Amino acid sequence: MTKKITAPVEEKDFILSSLISALDFLKQNKKGVLTAIGILVLAAVIGYAYSTHVKNVTEKSWAAYYTAQVQVLGGNQEEGFKQIDVLNADFPGSDAAEYAQLFKGDVLYASENFAQAADVYKPLTGSTNETIYTVASLSLASSLQAAKDYKASAEEMTKFIKQNPKSFALPQAYFTLALSQELAGNKTEALEAYKHLVENYAKTYFGSVAKDKIKELQK
């Protein structure tokens, strides 16, 4: 015969008294309780609506980015750039808009429109997206360097290095800095940056190239 397990008297009394107290509270504070429930329901509805809105915005912005990209890669660069600018205006600060701007900058750089590319990259150096910020900063410095504005390029990389002492992109940043200094005729500063690369990033591609650069400058 199975023994029926019952809760201790003290526990039963506690549960019963808790239920009674809860019911009394609901009766005495009916209006307040209903208001609180209404607020919770409203918050849930607003939360759902917001998440749905964010999802729709995200989907639309990325769809616009891919459409613009297809236009550019398909040979209709002017129309693609227009769509990218519209995307940037309609969804400012979104990942899709910023990646689209990066793409635009890359296309301009590849076609040797270095000054225009720099103008596109520069606003993206204020992005809160770490990847976009990093790529834009390095690309801006490279564009300025290609446009023969070596001083501005070196300044951008010096600022980036100072503000991001643990960035994964430091080897490239130091190399860009060193090359800009070299091209500007600042041999001492260039050697300093190249030596830093060899001493701290010897196993990277940029550290390897820096070794050859040091030999060239020391001839």
Side-chain angles (χ1 to χ4, degrees):
M1 182 176 177
T2 303
K3 184 177 180 181
K4 185 176 180 180
I5 301 175
T6 58
V9 174
E10 294 83 357
E11 182 180 342
K12 287 164 67 177
D13 289 344
F14 172 75
I15 294 173
L16 181 59
S17 62
S18 296
L19 288 173
I20 292 172
S21 297
L23 288 172
D24 287 340
F25 175 80
L26 289 174
K27 289 177 182 178
Q28 295 171 15
N29 302 275
K30 186 176 181 180
K31 185 176 180 180
V33 171
L34 290 176
T35 301
I37 293 174
I39 291 173
L40 291 174
V41 171
L42 180 60
V45 171
I46 293 174
Y48 175 76
Y50 178 73
S51 64
T52 301
H53 170 71
V54 170
K55 181 180 179 181
N56 289 337
V57 167
T58 301
E59 291 176 350
K60 288 180 180 178
S61 62
W62 280 110
Y65 166 60
Y66 291 127
T67 299
Q69 190 179 57
V70 168
Q71 288 285 350
V72 174
L73 297 177
N76 196 348
Q77 180 174 300
E78 184 178 354
E79 179 60 29
F81 280 1
K82 285 182 180 178
Q83 292 181 6
I84 288 174
D85 292 339
V86 170
L87 165 60
N88 195 50
D90 290 345
F91 305 98
S94 67
D95 282 350
E98 292 188 337
Y99 274 109
Q101 288 294 317
L102 274 182
F103 172 70
K104 180 181 179 180
D106 292 345
V107 172
L108 288 168
Y109 185 95
S111 58
E112 299 186 359
N113 294 307
F114 304 121
Q116 291 180 10
D119 288 340
V120 174
Y121 291 132
K122 190 169 183 61
L124 296 173
T125 60
S127 175
T128 56
N129 182 310
E130 184 177 357
T131 300
I132 292 173
Y133 159 71
T134 300
V135 173
S137 297
L138 295 171
S139 298
L140 172 59
S142 295
S143 296
L144 292 169
Q145 184 185 94
K148 298 184 180 181
D149 192 347
Y150 307 125
K151 181 181 178 181
S153 175
E155 288 175 349
E156 285 294 332
M157 285 298 86
T158 299
K159 180 174 67 175
F160 178 84
I161 291 167
K162 183 178 180 180
Q163 294 178 348
N164 304 274
K166 296 182 179 180
S167 173
F168 67 89
L170 282 180
Q172 185 174 348
Y174 271 105
F175 185 81
T176 302
L177 170 61
L179 186 56
S180 288
Q181 295 286 22
E182 179 185 349
L183 293 171
N186 302 322
K187 185 176 179 178
T188 301
E189 290 83 353
L191 276 171
E192 183 179 342
Y194 283 134
K195 287 179 180 179
H196 183 86
L197 269 171
V198 172
E199 292 171 0
N200 295 276
Y201 307 100
K203 295 182 179 180
T204 67
Y205 165 78
F206 298 103
S208 177
V209 176
K211 291 180 182 179
D212 296 330
K213 282 290 186 179
I214 292 173
K215 291 179 182 178
E216 290 178 14
L217 291 174
Q218 290 179 333
K219 286 182 180 179

